[in-house]
Amino acid sequence: MSRHLISISLLSLFLLSPCQPIQGQASTQLPTASGEHRKTSEPYTGDLSIFDSPGRDERLQINRVMDILGISQGKIVADIGAGSGWFTVRAAWRVGNTGFVFAVDINPEAIRYIAHRIQEENLHNVKTIRSKGDDPLLPVRRIDAVLLLKTYHEVSTPVALLRNLRRSLADGAKVGIIDRNGNGENHGVGREIVIREATEAGYQLREQYDFVKADGMDYFLLFTMR
């Protein structure tokens, strides 16, 4: 058989053989959780003092929020996505010397800002935690109340974060999420998406409120563990 005919025969065998994937070839990965691939907003890295605008307490009705979360003397609170520490210090005043507040943020500048703030305000019941994007790194079974205030839309792995939060919650703990309706990229996320993701992470919606701002865009969701 000529060398030319051998080449044609080998080529025919190759073309007729079942195709096999090439080892190491990239493959399409399916999402591991419904919330993990949705659009999110870039975490804020600007001037943190903007969160201390005059009248914010009244606009957000933060004392009413803390009442609903059961934040009172002696409670242990987590402020996730603490930013400037605006809510941190208010929770610290509310829980008093017998309570404690964990100020959690992934941004090292926010952690430094809060550390300086609590020193200036002479608060001894606050600890800062530089967290991971999918884990708040809070102590186990200690937390009575959690608030994510206008930060949930920035969380890139929300289901994982909420799942990892579960181990830190005390019996009967309440988790509050305040955010605004949006598409994920415009510093807001639809409430139905938050409810779905929290449900997937093992939480149950207890209440939802619309009093936190008069424009009708903001919502306050209250969850407990199932």
Side-chain angles (χ1 to χ4, degrees):
M1 187 182 291
S2 68
R3 194 175 292 178
H4 179 67
L5 289 174
I6 292 172
S7 298
I8 292 173
S9 298
L10 290 173
L11 178 60
S12 299
L13 284 171
F14 174 77
L15 292 173
L16 292 172
S17 298
C19 293
Q20 299 293 328
I22 300 172
Q23 189 172 6
Q25 184 176 356
S27 60
T28 303
Q29 293 188 355
L30 296 175
T32 56
S34 64
E36 306 306 73
H37 295 290
R38 66 163 169 79
K39 295 177 180 180
T40 57
S41 302
E42 285 295 318
Y44 180 77
T45 57
D47 179 11
L48 293 169
S49 67
I50 67 166
F51 297 112
D52 288 86
S53 59
R56 194 178 189 207
D57 291 67
E58 291 73 25
R59 288 195 303 273
L60 292 181
Q61 299 188 50
I62 200 62
N63 285 320
R64 186 177 175 188
V65 169
M66 288 193 283
D67 289 342
I68 291 170
L69 288 170
I71 297 175
S72 58
Q73 288 282 324
K75 296 293 187 179
I76 310 297
V77 178
D79 179 7
I80 297 181
S84 70
W86 179 85
F87 175 68
T88 295
V89 298
R90 283 154 179 78
W93 297 334
R94 175 73 77 99
V95 301
N97 292 330
T98 58
F100 206 81
V101 180
F102 292 95
V104 180
D105 209 291
I106 62 172
N107 180 1
E109 181 55 37
I111 295 299
R112 286 191 291 269
Y113 190 98
I114 296 169
H116 177 73
R117 179 172 190 163
I118 60 179
Q119 185 176 24
E120 288 288 304
E121 301 200 24
N122 199 30
L123 292 170
H124 303 288
N125 59 346
V126 176
K127 176 181 173 61
T128 59
I129 296 178
R130 185 180 174 189
S131 63
K132 297 179 180 179
D134 63 353
D135 193 336
L137 302 178
L138 288 159
V140 175
R141 295 184 62 82
R142 291 280 310 281
I143 309 302
D144 299 307
V146 178
L147 183 62
L148 289 87
L149 176 58
K150 300 294 189 75
T151 191
Y152 190 87
H153 59 267
E154 297 179 355
V155 180
S156 60
T157 53
V159 176
L161 176 74
L162 291 174
R163 282 178 178 156
N164 286 326
L165 172 63
R166 286 172 59 89
R167 65 173 178 263
S168 300
L169 299 179
D171 292 341
K174 297 178 179 180
V175 177
I177 298 176
I178 294 177
D179 221 298
R180 64 183 294 275
N181 284 299
N183 63 13
E185 292 181 307
N186 62 350
H187 295 283
V189 59
R191 77 168 70 200
E192 69 283 354
I193 293 174
V194 180
I195 294 169
R196 185 181 71 231
E197 290 171 353
T199 300
E200 184 176 347
Y203 295 82
Q204 182 172 353
L205 178 67
R206 293 296 182 181
E207 299 287 349
Q208 47 186 318
Y209 305 92
D210 295 298
F211 66 79
V212 286
K213 274 184 78 175
D215 60 8
M217 289 293 292
D218 288 13
Y219 52 82
F220 172 26
L221 305 177
L222 182 69
F223 298 95
T224 58
M225 284 194 297
R226 285 205 303 269

